[in-house]
Amino acid sequence: MTLKIENHQLVGDLVSHRSTPNCGGIMAPSYLIFHYTAGRSTDSSVESLCTRKAQGNASAHVVLGRDGRIVQLAPFNVVTWHAGVSQWAGLVGLNSHSIGIEMDNAGLLKKVGNQYQAWFGKAYPDDEVTLAAHRNGGPVSPWHAYTEAQIERAIELAELLVEHYDLQDVLGHEDIAPDRKIDPGPAFPLAAVRSRVIGREEDEPARYVVTASSLNIRKGPDASFERVAAALKNGTEVLLLEARDRWSLVEVIADPEIEGWVSNAYITAHSARGVAAPRFSVAGPASTDPTFASVNSGKQKKGGKGKKARRHG
């Protein structure tokens, strides 16, 4: 699904356009801001962001659906109302300095009986729920998981926008308004996306540690893929190269030649003072792969490195 920008408009597969009245004047963007919609669907969010209300009007440049489709609501050089009261790097009011991407996602959920529900009452199955603590604080809570198609599309779009507009950074609403906002939340791998898209030396991949007694590392993001090396032992430290909703691509710090995919349910973020609260703890059977089956002691040849960053700060 190749994307390109023509006259500040997105062109490509699964891209459509609808104009929002909730916008301002011309700007030169410096930042890219990710949000979640906390809405029922892509279409309902587009409708809301394109409606002029008596108060509480909002908009964004694009809405990114769970199936990877994109609806653009305003040209990328026009101010939209996605950031609100915000500040970053000495700038106040990021609406005038950023491109906003709203991702179709219900956001923070709550446990009602044996179900996980959104604020609007819809229940989500366990395999669409991520249990995690927000990096800005708070307890481990249920969050609506993003789809792999959505994350991959977000990376593709972010790479294009950063390259085209020479953007300085990729941020979340939770970065520019931490006292008010919690989106896109811990279910979205913002740090990994930023590191891949921006590619600066200071954006070193986050360190994680294995929490299972034995964890398989595989050639792809599924238990059906072949193992690339012996199972990782409890306490093994890894670098997070790419995060998806259930699996992550990691590199073993002690042996960088070992790179592969592990289940998110059995790795946790590592802080300078020790192990932090789990960033990943995904419900559902598809998230588990802590097997104890032995593999050949000789290291298997791993696949090639992931896509290298194209820009340097």
Side-chain angles (χ1 to χ4, degrees):
M1 293 186 287
T2 302
L3 298 174
K4 61 182 180 178
I5 296 172
E6 296 179 353
N7 194 28
H8 306 293
Q9 298 282 351
L10 195 63
V11 178
D13 296 336
L14 298 178
V15 174
S16 61
H17 298 83
R18 178 172 172 180
S19 296
T20 178
N22 304 327
C23 56
I26 300 299
M27 69 158 180
S30 298
Y31 296 98
L32 179 61
I33 312 296
F34 277 102
H35 308 255
Y36 59 51
T37 61
R40 294 173 172 82
S41 67
T42 300
D43 292 337
S44 68
S45 296
V46 168
E47 190 66 34
S48 177
L49 296 172
C50 289
T51 300
R52 200 61 179 264
K53 312 177 184 72
Q55 60 181 1
N57 291 294
S59 60
H61 291 90
V62 300
V63 177
L64 174 54
R66 297 182 66 75
D67 57 358
R69 67 186 176 105
I70 298 173
V71 183
Q72 185 170 4
L73 310 183
F76 294 122
N77 67 332
V78 169
V79 173
T80 59
W81 305 337
H82 62 94
V85 179
S86 55
Q87 59 181 350
W88 186 262
L91 296 175
V92 176
L94 270 291
N95 281 339
S96 299
H97 304 280
S98 63
I99 294 170
I101 297 177
E102 290 276 0
M103 293 179 289
D104 178 21
N105 183 280
L108 182 63
L109 308 176
K110 61 180 179 180
K111 188 75 175 289
V112 179
N114 61 352
Q115 293 185 321
Y116 295 103
Q117 290 187 3
W119 66 269
F120 46 83
K122 181 177 179 179
Y124 293 92
D126 287 357
D127 62 1
E128 289 188 29
V129 176
T130 295
L131 300 176
H134 198 284
R135 61 189 173 92
N136 288 350
V140 172
S141 302
W143 305 78
H144 190 199
Y146 295 84
T147 68
E148 288 192 14
Q150 198 173 26
I151 294 173
E152 290 173 0
R153 190 70 151 167
I155 292 172
E156 179 187 13
L157 178 56
E159 287 179 332
L160 175 64
L161 291 170
V162 167
E163 182 72 25
H164 188 88
Y165 292 101
D166 195 25
L167 301 180
Q168 297 177 28
D169 213 339
V170 176
L171 305 167
H173 205 178
E174 61 203 23
D175 293 313
I176 62 173
D179 295 333
R180 299 189 305 112
K181 297 296 181 179
I182 55 175
D183 57 313
F188 185 69
L190 182 61
V193 171
R194 177 190 295 118
S195 180
R196 175 168 172 176
V197 172
I198 299 295
R200 298 174 306 205
E201 290 182 2
E202 61 264 34
D203 289 322
E204 180 182 349
R207 288 180 173 234
Y208 278 69
V209 63
V210 173
T211 58
S213 59
S214 180
L215 178 62
N216 282 329
I217 180 167
R218 299 182 178 274
K219 288 186 175 181
D222 188 271
S224 62
F225 284 91
E226 182 182 353
R227 289 168 289 203
V228 301
L232 306 180
K233 302 305 181 184
N234 182 277
T236 301
E237 293 187 349
V238 297
L239 293 178
L240 186 70
L241 303 181
E242 180 181 342
R244 298 190 181 180
D245 59 342
R246 302 190 184 290
W247 293 75
S248 288
L249 179 64
V250 301
E251 176 184 289
V252 177
I253 292 177
D255 188 350
E257 286 300 307
I258 302 178
E259 177 184 307
W261 294 86
V262 297
S263 168
N264 289 342
Y266 300 98
I267 57 175
T268 192
H270 193 282
S271 70
R273 289 180 291 180
V275 178
R279 176 165 183 178
F280 297 118
S281 181
V282 183
S287 68
T288 58
D289 184 32
T291 62
F292 296 85
S294 61
V295 295
N296 294 334
S297 57
K299 189 186 308 177
Q300 299 182 36
K301 185 70 174 176
K302 64 169 184 169
K305 292 280 186 182
K307 183 177 180 180
K308 297 293 184 183
R310 297 167 295 134
R311 305 176 70 247
H312 294 278

